[in-house]
Amino acid sequence: MLLASCMLVLIGCVDRQITSSMVQTASVEGRRYAKEVDAQSPFETVEMPWIEAGELIKERNPSFVAASRSFSEALVGKPLVSELTREVKNTVTESVSSMLDIDTLVSSLKAPSIEIPKRLASISRLKDVSHEVKQGAWEDAGQSVDAELEMRKVEVQLHRLMRTGKLIDREIAIALRTPKLDPDSETNPDPKFVGALAGWRASLKKERATWLTEVRNLFDAEYHDVHFIPDDSGLPTYRDAANPDLGKWRRWCHLRRSKELIGKLTLSHKESKPTLPGTAFVAKSLKQMVNQNSESTIVRKTDSVRQEVRTLIQSWRNMKETQEQAELLEESSSDLPIQNQAEIKARQKIFQLRKAEIKYVSVVWLLDEDCWRTPEAVNNTLTKK
């Protein structure tokens, strides 16, 4: 009887604990749900400066969050991987047939039991290169570059949307400055103009709806509406840049080229496990330098490099051409109320040109390392003197 009573008490305690745990868990999840609904602002327009949007995207975009986590996993607590990644970025060759610069071959690689000299002075010092760099270190280095590229893509998409939103809002404001016109009114003898203006307004409204859907998906939030407030944190427009040196390989296409080189060095490590990946390549390159051998080692396929260069040049040229065309039209147009069909066509052409400009500049952003170092100063350093 006593045993039965004890069992009932124990069962009662367990039931109360389960109930308490369920209530507590439900309360925590409920608060998280309520907080998320508030964060998505389903009934109010969200207003945020560009710089704030840039920080928020790092918390809300699933691709950025995953890439950031991958980047941290590859580098945090792994100084060797950080050095490998940095070293590869410093040794990407200038052209297909160029050999590695002696001064940037190996930089401060730290193995568990040996510290590599900061610079290789001769071929004989290659023996000092650590033999304990493992395959996993190069895989982590590749992972870090992949993650960095993915995070950049998300940020570029955000800046593209912020620029596009600014453009759409400007055109909507201009289109709405014209008073509402009645096609049957005697004071308005041109019903075609009224119809054309209504069509232009509807087109802009549709453009903004599509844009808003993209913003919602990027932030993973069902915002009622979003208004980005422009500030100085935006990536450069390059409108004041005339003739930059696109051949500066440390600035242009550098991260993507690093990714490909890391892949090749990883394969090299699989083939020659006892040595540092790339050691054979470095030794051969140095030997050719010493012997003045004209033969060179090809790091990347010619067609791969050529396509990359063509993409950069095409994007830059198309960007500058659309900018010039838009500027010419804007000089003859104004932000005053639209008066006739010719002005509607002019505004439509300007809008399409500026949209194309944003598309081309987005490609350049991904290839330009300066965007990710000091974006506010890029326009001041681009133009050749």
Side-chain angles (χ1 to χ4, degrees):
M1 189 70 177
L2 180 60
L3 179 62
S5 298
C6 290
M7 289 296 294
L8 288 174
V9 171
L10 287 173
I11 292 173
C13 290
V14 171
D15 286 344
R16 283 194 296 274
Q17 288 177 353
I18 292 174
T19 301
S20 176
S21 178
M22 289 177 62
V23 170
Q24 184 178 8
T25 302
S27 177
V28 170
E29 287 299 311
R31 287 195 297 271
R32 288 177 59 188
Y33 185 87
K35 183 179 180 181
E36 189 57 37
V37 170
D38 184 59
Q40 297 191 33
S41 304
F43 308 111
E44 297 179 357
T45 298
V46 173
E47 292 191 351
M48 61 180 105
W50 284 3
I51 190 170
E52 182 181 320
E55 292 303 313
L56 184 61
I57 201 70
K58 298 174 184 179
E59 300 175 7
R60 295 206 59 93
N61 182 267
S63 296
F64 190 99
V65 172
S68 179
R69 186 182 300 115
S70 178
F71 185 81
S72 297
E73 290 173 354
L75 296 180
V76 173
K78 301 174 182 177
L80 177 58
V81 177
S82 301
E83 294 292 344
L84 289 176
T85 305
R86 181 160 51 252
E87 175 58 20
V88 168
K89 291 179 182 179
N90 287 336
T91 57
V92 176
T93 53
E94 183 171 356
S95 66
V96 180
S97 60
S98 295
M99 290 175 288
L100 294 178
D101 180 359
I102 283 182
D103 290 334
T104 56
L105 288 175
V106 176
S107 175
S108 302
L109 291 177
K110 291 185 179 180
S113 60
I114 185 171
E115 181 173 343
I116 305 302
K118 291 184 177 181
R119 293 287 181 264
L120 283 176
S122 66
I123 300 175
S124 62
R125 294 178 66 181
L126 284 171
K127 59 182 172 57
D128 294 327
V129 176
S130 171
H131 289 257
E132 299 182 16
V133 178
K134 296 181 179 180
Q135 181 75 21
W138 281 97
E139 292 174 354
D140 284 339
Q143 177 182 326
S144 73
V145 175
D146 284 338
E148 194 173 355
L149 276 171
E150 183 60 33
M151 288 188 287
R152 285 189 182 184
K153 288 176 183 178
V154 173
E155 291 188 78
V156 164
Q157 187 177 1
L158 171 63
H159 282 265
R160 177 182 65 79
L161 286 174
M162 292 192 299
R163 295 277 182 194
T164 303
K166 179 182 177 182
L167 174 63
I168 294 173
D169 289 345
R170 183 190 73 174
E171 293 303 324
I172 288 177
I174 294 173
L176 291 178
R177 285 188 188 127
T178 303
K180 185 176 180 180
L181 302 175
D182 182 0
D184 299 324
S185 173
E186 294 181 359
T187 60
N188 180 40
D190 189 0
K192 290 183 178 180
F193 167 62
V194 177
L197 183 60
W200 176 226
R201 288 172 173 172
S203 175
L204 289 171
K205 184 178 180 181
K206 184 177 179 181
E207 286 274 358
R208 199 178 190 287
T210 300
W211 172 87
L212 182 57
T213 298
E214 286 191 73
V215 172
R216 288 168 175 164
N217 291 338
L218 190 66
F219 283 88
D220 195 23
E222 285 302 310
Y223 295 129
H224 170 69
D225 197 1
V226 178
H227 176 60
F228 293 118
I229 304 171
D231 54 35
D232 294 333
S233 68
L235 295 178
T237 63
Y238 303 101
R239 290 180 184 177
D240 297 326
N243 300 306
D245 185 357
L246 299 182
K248 290 184 177 179
W249 61 269
R250 289 193 184 279
R251 174 180 176 181
W252 301 102
C253 312
H254 194 53
L255 190 59
R256 289 186 176 185
R257 300 172 78 190
S258 299
K259 174 184 175 181
E260 186 169 340
L261 183 56
I262 283 178
K264 289 183 178 294
L265 293 178
T266 302
L267 292 176
S268 173
H269 182 67
K270 288 182 179 180
E271 297 173 357
S272 180
K273 291 184 179 180
T275 60
L276 176 72
T279 298
F281 167 69
V282 171
K284 186 176 180 181
S285 296
L286 285 173
K287 186 176 181 180
Q288 289 167 353
M289 284 182 178
V290 172
N291 297 331
Q292 295 183 344
N293 192 330
S294 59
E295 181 185 355
S296 60
T297 301
I298 297 178
V299 179
R300 307 175 72 216
K301 292 182 179 179
T302 302
D303 55 352
S304 176
V305 176
R306 182 179 296 125
Q307 184 57 48
E308 194 170 73
V309 171
R310 288 196 66 191
T311 298
L312 173 59
I313 295 174
Q314 287 174 353
S315 299
W316 185 272
R317 181 177 60 244
N318 291 337
M319 176 187 70
K320 298 309 294 184
E321 288 177 353
T322 55
Q323 287 175 350
E324 291 171 4
Q325 293 175 39
E327 287 166 5
L328 284 174
L329 283 173
E330 287 169 344
E331 287 177 2
S332 59
S333 183
S334 69
D335 292 347
L336 297 174
I338 300 173
Q339 300 295 329
N340 52 57
Q341 284 181 273
E343 292 182 1
I344 293 177
K345 291 181 179 179
R347 295 312 315 175
Q348 290 172 333
K349 182 64 175 176
I350 291 171
F351 180 71
Q352 293 303 324
L353 286 169
R354 288 306 188 189
K355 271 186 65 178
E357 175 196 7
I358 294 170
K359 180 183 73 172
Y360 296 131
V361 78
S362 295
V363 177
V364 177
W365 285 336
L366 279 173
L367 301 175
D368 183 9
E369 291 298 309
D370 278 5
C371 289
W372 312 100
R373 288 195 290 267
T374 54
E376 71 281 356
V378 172
N379 275 333
N380 297 327
T381 61
L382 275 176
T383 308
K384 283 185 176 179
K385 302 298 182 182

